[in-house]
C-alpha cells in the first residue's frame, strides 16, 4: 500500500504551510503530496484565501526532490485543455517527472459563481471533461515535429505543435475518480491510469471498482498498463484514544468515532481499516489531513501505521 498525503488548502493554508507539509511528507517517506483544486470553502472563508493548485505545485516542484505531486482533482471547468496541458507538462519538467494529473468535472457551483467561472449543467460538464481528456492526452502523445488537431463540440485544436512535452515518456499519469455508476467508469476505462474513489464506504468503493473493471473489459486496454485503484479518506490517527479524540475535535470531526469516508483510530485500528481497501483491490491510499500544521500527525502515521501495512 502506497501512502499519499492529501490536503485541502482552501480551508486555510498559505503556500508556506503547504511547503512545510510537502517537505515533511517527503522526509517521512510518503509517496506523494496531493492537493485539492478549489477556490472556496463550504463556509466561504478559509483565510488567507485560496492558492492556485498548479502555481503551488510548480513552486513545490522546485523545493522538493523525490515526492510525487498532483491534484485530486483539477476541475475541468477552471482551465482550457490546451493551457492545462502546457501547465502540467511544465510542472512535470520542473519536478523532473514527478507530476500526476487528477481531472474531474467540477461540482461546487458556489465557487464558480464567486470567481466568475461558468458552471454548465452536469451533462455538459461530462462532455467537456471527455474532450479535455482526449485533447490533453493527444497533445502529450504527439511526436516532436508533428502537429495535433481536434474538432469537438466544445473545443477545437488546429495544427498545434503540441509543446512542451512532459518529462515522463507517456505523460503524467491521469487520475479519474468519483462514484458515478455509468459515465465515470467509462471515462476511467478509456483515459485513466488510476481510478480513485473518494470518501466512500468500503462496500461502495468495492462496488465502484467492479464497475470500472467491467468498463475496462468492455473498452479493452490492449498495450496499456493495468489501471491502479486507489481511495481517499480523511484520516484521524492517535497513539491513544484520547489523542484520537483530541485530533478529531481540533478539525471539527465527530470525536466519538469514524463516519463514512474516514479512517479513525489508533495505528492498529487504522491498519485494519486500510486492509479492507487492499482486499478490494486498492494499492494506493490518499490520506486527507485537515490540520496542515499538525506535522506530528504525519510523523505518527509514518512511524506507526505504515509499517503495519508492509
Amino acid at each position: 500500500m502506497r501512502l499519499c498525503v492529501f490536503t485541502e488548502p482552501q480551508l486555510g493554508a498559505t503556500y508556506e504551510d503547504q511547503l512545510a507539509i510537502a517537505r515533511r511528507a517527503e522526509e517521512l517517506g510518503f509517496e506523494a503530496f496531493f492537493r485539492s483544486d478549489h477556490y472556496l470553502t463550504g463556509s466561504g472563508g478559509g483565510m488567507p484565501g485560496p492558492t492556485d493548485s498548479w502555481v503551488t505545485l510548480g513552486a513545490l516542484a522546485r523545493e522538493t526532490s523525490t515526492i510525487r505531486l498532483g491534484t485530486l482533482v483539477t476541475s475541468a471547468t477552471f482551465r482550457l485543455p490546451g493551457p492545462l496541458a502546457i501547465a502540467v507538462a511544465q510542472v512535470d519538467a520542473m519536478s523532473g517527472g514527478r507530476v500526476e494529473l487528477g481531472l474531474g468535472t467540477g461540482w461546487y457551483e458556489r465557487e464558480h459563481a464567486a470567481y466568475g467561472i461558468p458552471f454548465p449543467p452536469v451533462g455538459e460538464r461530462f462532455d467537456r471533461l471527455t474532450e479535455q481528456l482526449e485533447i490533453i492526452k493527444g497533445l502529450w502523445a504527439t511526436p516532436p515535429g508533428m502537429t495535433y488537431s481536434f474538432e469537438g463540440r466544445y473545443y477545437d485544436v488546429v495544427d498545434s505543435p503540441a509543446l512542451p512535452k512532459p518529462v515522463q515518456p507517456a505523460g503524467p499519469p491521469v487520475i479519474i475518480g468519483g462514484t458515478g455508476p455509468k459515465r465515470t467508469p467509462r471515462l476511467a476505462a478509456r483515459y485513466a491510469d488510476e481510478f480513485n474513489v473518494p470518501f466512500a464506504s468500503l462496500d461502495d468503493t468495492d462496488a465502484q471498482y467492479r464497475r470500472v473493471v467491467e468498463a475496462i473489459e468492455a473498452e479493452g486496454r490492449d498495450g496499456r498498463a493495468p489501471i491502479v485503484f486507489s481511495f481517499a479518506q480523511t484520516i484521524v490517527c492517535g497513539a491513544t484514544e484520547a489523542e484520537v479524540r483530541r485530533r478529531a475535535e481540533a478539525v471539527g470531526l465527530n470525536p466519538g468515532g469514524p463516519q463514512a469516508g474516514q479512517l479513525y483510530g489508533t495505528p492498529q485500528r487504522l491498519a485494519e481499516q486500510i486492509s479492507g481497501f487492499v482486499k478490494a483491490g486498492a494499492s494506493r491510499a490518499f490520506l486527507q489531513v485537515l490540520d496542515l500544521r499538525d506535522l506530528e500527525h504525519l510523523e505518527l502515521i509514518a512511524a506507526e501505521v505504515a509499517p503495519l501495512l508492509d
Side-chain angles (χ1 to χ4, degrees):
M1 174 58 66
R2 296 174 288 154
L3 301 183
C4 309
V5 173
F6 173 40
T7 63
E8 302 273 2
Q10 78 278 0
L11 297 177
T14 64
Y15 169 71
E16 287 73 19
D17 293 328
Q18 296 172 72
L19 174 60
I21 196 170
R23 282 179 165 168
R24 192 68 185 117
E26 182 174 75
E27 293 166 357
L28 292 168
F30 286 93
E31 182 184 66
F33 171 88
F34 272 63
R35 56 156 291 161
S36 60
D37 191 10
H38 282 298
Y39 294 134
L40 204 66
T41 69
S43 62
M47 294 296 292
T51 50
D52 183 87
S53 61
W54 287 102
V55 171
T56 299
L57 293 174
L60 293 177
R62 305 303 296 172
E63 300 197 67
T64 57
S65 58
T66 59
I67 197 165
R68 297 190 67 79
L69 304 166
T71 53
L72 201 68
V73 295
T74 288
S75 175
T77 56
F78 289 173
R79 299 165 183 85
L80 297 172
L84 179 58
I86 290 171
V88 177
Q90 181 179 356
V91 178
D92 194 48
M94 293 166 71
S95 70
R98 293 184 283 124
V99 161
E100 304 181 28
L101 171 62
L103 191 60
T105 60
W107 61 270
Y108 190 15
E109 184 173 8
R110 189 173 170 220
E111 73 182 336
H112 290 72
Y115 288 97
I117 304 168
F119 187 72
V122 64
E124 180 179 330
R125 297 202 307 276
F126 266 101
D127 292 341
R128 286 180 177 271
L129 173 61
T130 302
E131 290 190 16
Q132 288 215 4
L133 288 163
E134 185 69 34
I135 291 167
I136 291 168
K137 293 183 79 78
L139 288 168
W140 290 343
T142 300
M146 305 289 287
T147 60
Y148 174 80
S149 296
F150 175 86
E151 183 176 349
R153 181 177 180 182
Y154 299 103
Y155 307 106
D156 292 336
V157 178
V158 181
D159 295 332
S160 173
L163 297 172
K165 295 300 181 196
V167 168
Q168 296 174 82
V174 170
I175 303 171
I176 293 174
T179 55
K182 295 180 180 179
R183 295 192 68 172
T184 299
R186 292 200 297 267
L187 281 176
R190 181 171 298 180
Y191 296 108
D193 300 290
E194 179 173 335
F195 183 76
N196 180 272
V197 178
F199 310 115
S201 69
L202 176 57
D203 288 344
D204 289 344
T205 300
D206 180 68
Q208 187 69 340
Y209 288 169
R210 292 177 186 276
R211 293 186 191 103
V212 173
V213 169
E214 292 172 359
I216 289 172
E217 292 172 348
E219 173 73 23
R221 288 172 67 94
D222 293 342
R224 294 183 59 188
I227 197 167
V228 172
F229 286 109
S230 63
F231 64 94
Q233 298 268 309
T234 304
I235 188 166
V236 180
C237 181
T240 64
E241 295 294 343
E243 188 172 83
V244 174
R245 289 193 298 272
R246 176 183 63 78
R247 283 206 165 96
E249 290 173 344
V251 295
L253 298 179
N254 178 14
Q259 308 297 311
Q262 295 177 16
L263 302 172
Y264 183 103
T266 57
Q268 183 64 48
R269 286 175 58 195
L270 289 175
E272 292 169 358
Q273 293 167 37
I274 292 172
S275 68
F277 290 92
V278 174
K279 292 176 182 177
S283 59
R284 208 174 191 210
F286 289 83
L287 306 178
Q288 184 197 52
V289 291
L290 295 179
D291 186 351
L292 271 63
R293 296 171 183 85
D294 184 4
L295 299 184
E296 292 181 356
H297 194 194
L298 288 189
E299 293 163 3
L300 179 62
I301 295 168
E304 301 294 336
V305 179
L308 297 176
L309 299 174
D310 291 338

